[in-house]
Amino acid sequence: GNIIYVDMSYIGYLLINHIKEMRLKRNFTQLQLSQPVAAFSKNGLSYGFVSKVETLTERAKYNICHLPLLAKALDCSMEDLMPKIKRGI
């Protein structure tokens, strides 16, 4: 198969994985997380957006505008969405 490379920052990678862990701890499917984000978003996100982000081979990524929507959908603060990063990385 072909390997697809998508340029992503380390913090972007950590953010995607941390939000995925939070989603899984709440037993939410990707669609269950996508639906409220799509419903509250003025950007018109698709219902498959979370799937595209978590695939890591797509160009889709969370951005700063998604954070309040994700926090609302996951019933947490925006600070809770931030991955814990060790100093020196």
Side-chain angles (χ1 to χ4, degrees):
N2 293 338
I3 296 176
I4 299 171
Y5 176 76
V6 177
D7 186 29
M8 179 182 303
S9 69
Y10 183 62
I11 186 69
Y13 174 78
L14 292 177
L15 179 68
I16 290 167
N17 283 315
H18 182 64
I19 292 172
K20 179 179 180 178
E21 287 175 12
M22 293 178 72
R23 174 182 68 74
L24 293 172
K25 283 182 184 174
R26 288 164 174 74
N27 293 316
F28 284 7
T29 65
Q30 291 173 333
L31 182 60
Q32 286 172 314
L33 182 56
S34 289
Q35 287 173 333
V37 173
F40 297 128
S41 176
K42 294 178 183 172
N43 299 336
L45 296 177
S46 71
Y47 287 120
F49 182 72
V50 172
S51 174
K52 288 181 180 178
V53 170
E54 289 184 4
T55 299
L56 299 177
T57 57
E58 299 276 344
R59 293 193 181 276
K61 297 177 187 134
Y62 296 127
N63 68 44
I64 195 83
C65 297
H66 298 138
L67 297 182
L69 305 172
L70 289 162
K72 184 170 184 165
L74 291 167
D75 192 28
C76 67
S77 70
M78 288 196 309
E79 184 178 344
D80 293 334
L81 295 176
M82 297 297 113
K84 306 300 181 239
I85 301 173
K86 296 176 185 171
R87 293 178 67 94
I89 294 179

